[in-house]
Each structure stands twice: as structure tokens, then as C-alpha cells.
Amino acid sequence: MFVAPSRGPFLLWTLAIQLVLCGVCAADGTDECTLLYKSTKQQDDIKRLDSLLHKNFTVDHKIEEDSYTYVFKLCSDAGAIPKAGLIQINKKEKDQKPTVIGMYNATQVIGGTDWVMLIYQNGDAYDGHCNREKRKANIMITCNRKMEAGELAVVLEDRERAKDCLYLFELESSGVCPVIESKLSTGTILLIIGICLMAVYLIGGFLYQRLIVGAKGKDQFPNYPFWVDFGNLTADGCDFVCRSQSRDESPAYRAAPTQPIDEQPEERDDHLLPM
Ligand SMILES: *[C@@H]1O[C@H](CO)[C@@H](O)[C@H](O)[C@H]1NC(C)=O
Ligand SMILES: *[C@@H]1O[C@H](CO)[C@@H](O)[C@H](O)[C@H]1NC(C)=O
């Protein structure tokens, strides 16, 4: 491919930036689950399992005469086998190489409201069952708000089929639980904030007046004169708005002839004096 000379530096920069980005990914030391079919939904669902990363889950399981230990790790090497996410160790033949049930570089994720199903494919091939297809591990992770990571449990090993055999495990984790919406409405939150501010004002102001200004009695109440005025003004306002017969009646009302209330007490007194 021909690259115009002027575009050379640009390509170099792109390359350099990509190298730095890859370096960052590699530097945080996590192996990553490689999704078989990439999609944003799957990437979001796998993020819900973050609390399980790097934990070593083991479970012992007996089938008839055989007894196995399963080791599961989320997106990192189980039993130090590269890319093996879930392995099976035969307890009777411990020196034998573990059987890989699923690889985390062939991951699929399905997620619902309160569960995530992790599927590791490309495990070791079955010897005599299932048309010698590759083993596959399904790990069903369900919501339990009480624990970050519960115990791994074996649900079933189904290999008596012609195809699509599977190992099914289950595990509980709080990470897959739906987010609880805050039950407090905005109004309630504002009210609580208001009450808190009020309390801080009262207590702070009280302490200030008492300790720094040295006030006594009701003067310890912060901004006492202001609040007294405020109280009076509010009372006036209330009086003005709520009282059915206003003291300052409109001129039209005053003009009405039958309004003895309007007469000033002094006038009445004057009137009575001569008697
Ligand atoms: C994980 O558990 C298995 C089985 O108990 C054990 O053999 C292995 O050493 C553990 N690995 C780590 C990293 O703890
Ligand atoms: C997964 O990793 C293994 C071991 O490194 C490799 O052999 C295999 O091809 C990889 N599979 C995929 C789908 O990348």
C-alpha cells in the first residue's frame, strides 16, 4: 500500500497511541475474557461480575464412583492453565493433567434483571461422549444482596446427548442484582437538606452568640432582632392576607354609610364627654 509522505507522521502517531493504550490494558494485570461474539450488551453484563474477578472458586463433586474438584476463575487462569477458566481435577488421579471444561478466551455472556449466565466454550474434547465435541461450562450467577461472592455449586453434568452437552454451575453474587432506585423523592431530599441547614444554623448561631459574643438569655438565639422583626412582619402579612375584615379597608368600603367600626374610639369618647 502506498502511503503519501505527509500522512506518514499521522500513521506513526496513531500507532504510538494504540501502543500506549494496549500498554495500559496490559499493565493493569488482568487477563480479559475474550468474547466469542462481541456486543455492548455482553460487555456490560460481564462488568456486572467485576466483584468476582481473580477469586478462586472450588467445589467438590461426586458422580457414582468418581470424585472431582472443579476450579473456576473469572477471566483468569484456573489451576494455572493458560486461558482455562474452569477446570476439573480427578481426585483419584491427582498427578493427571486437569481437564479443561471451558476457556475464558471463548466466552459468551447472557444477562437478565437479576442474573448473568457466563458460558466458557472450547474446553477439552469429550473422550467417548457427545460426539467428541469440546466441553462447555455454563455458570449461572444469580443475585444475592447479602454476599459479594457466594459458593460455587455443581448443578448438573449432562453428557448423555448427541450434542450440546454441558456442565452447569451456579454461584451467587450481589454484583448482578438490579440497582435499587432511591425511594426518596427530590422533594423529600430537599426538605431533609433544608432541615439540616436549619439545624446547623441554629446550633452554630447559638454557640457563636453564647461563646463568642457572650450573649445571655433569648439573645443567644442567632440574629434575634432580625427574627423578631421577621416574625412581626410575617404576622402582619398573615393578618393582611387572612383576616376577613381588613383594618385598612379600601376607600370604597369606607365610603359606605353603615360602617360604625370605622369610627375612631377617640371620636366616640369626645361625643360622650358632655354627658
Ligand atoms: C485455588 O483452589 C485450588 C483448589 O483448592 C488450589 O489448588 C489452588 O492452589 C487455588 N489457587 C489459588 C490461586 O488460590
Ligand atoms: C484461546 O487460548 C488458547 C491457548 O492460548 C489458544 O490455543 C486458543 O486458540 C484460543 N482460542 C481463541 C478462540 O482465541
Side-chain angles (χ1 to χ4, degrees):
M1 192 184 87
F2 176 76
V3 178
S6 61
R7 289 177 65 188
F10 172 73
L11 285 181
L12 271 180
W13 271 112
T14 317
L15 197 67
I17 288 167
Q18 278 173 358
L19 278 177
V20 169
L21 287 180
C22 289
V24 170
C25 312
D28 74 2
T30 56
D31 307 273
E32 282 200 9
C33 280
T34 313
L35 295 171
L36 269 187
Y37 314 101
K38 283 209 165 43
S39 76
T40 352
K41 170 83 171 81
Q42 289 198 68
Q43 272 156 356
D44 289 347
D45 281 336
I46 214 161
K47 280 215 186 73
R48 293 164 68 190
L49 305 178
D50 272 355
S51 60
L52 307 179
L53 277 172
H54 307 301
K55 292 207 165 76
N56 196 25
F57 296 94
T58 60
V59 59
D60 292 329
H61 187 59
K62 271 186 124 154
I63 310 180
E64 292 147 25
E65 300 296 283
D66 297 322
S67 171
Y68 300 104
T69 300
Y70 292 94
V71 180
F72 162 60
K73 276 195 155 190
L74 181 67
C75 306
S76 57
D77 300 341
I81 301 172
K83 305 286 177 199
L86 206 153
I87 59 167
Q88 179 195 55
I89 301 160
N90 189 332
K91 284 189 151 183
K92 280 192 197 141
E93 304 158 52
K94 278 226 157 130
D95 45 332
Q96 200 188 311
K97 188 174 163 288
T99 308
V100 176
I101 310 293
M103 312 277 278
Y104 65 83
N105 66 352
T107 302
Q108 269 183 277
V109 197
I110 321 171
T113 324
D114 59 354
W115 56 272
V116 169
M117 171 89 95
L118 186 74
I119 305 163
Y120 284 156
Q121 298 191 346
N122 286 357
D124 291 345
Y126 285 97
D127 302 324
H129 300 88
C130 301
N131 256 329
R132 313 213 163 170
E133 69 178 6
K134 287 180 169 170
R135 287 176 169 83
K136 177 167 81 179
N138 290 19
I139 304 116
M140 183 77 183
I141 299 136
T142 51
C143 162
N144 181 345
R145 293 194 192 276
K146 294 199 191 92
M147 48 184 76
E148 193 173 69
E151 302 271 313
L152 184 70
V154 181
V155 179
L156 74 99
E157 181 197 342
D158 189 353
R159 56 180 194 187
E160 307 305 327
R161 310 191 195 177
K163 65 190 277 241
D164 282 335
C165 297
L166 63 93
Y167 290 79
L168 181 60
F169 301 84
E170 64 183 5
L171 182 65
E172 288 180 326
S173 165
S174 55
V176 300
C177 294
V179 178
I180 301 178
E181 305 271 316
S182 169
K183 291 219 178 78
L184 299 176
S185 68
T186 323
T188 319
I189 293 170
L190 285 179
L191 193 69
I192 291 172
I193 293 175
I195 290 173
C196 290
L197 288 179
M198 196 71 192
V200 168
Y201 168 74
L202 283 178
I203 295 169
F206 176 82
L207 290 178
Y208 176 81
Q209 292 289 333
R210 187 187 177 90
L211 301 178
I212 297 175
V213 181
K216 293 262 157 17
K218 64 189 179 191
D219 286 338
Q220 293 173 79
F221 195 78
N223 303 98
Y224 182 71
F226 168 78
W227 287 115
V228 168
D229 280 354
F230 181 78
N232 289 339
L233 284 173
T234 316
D236 286 350
C238 217
D239 205 30
F240 176 74
V241 172
C242 311
R243 207 179 282 279
S244 58
Q245 284 179 315
S246 172
R247 282 172 301 177
D248 301 318
E249 278 167 325
S250 62
Y253 258 92
R254 221 175 284 174
T258 54
Q259 281 292 326
I261 294 166
D262 249 16
E263 286 177 15
Q264 294 301 308
E266 297 102 284
E267 283 175 48
R268 240 180 280 162
D269 284 350
D270 289 344
H271 191 252
L272 289 173
L273 261 179
M275 286 177 75

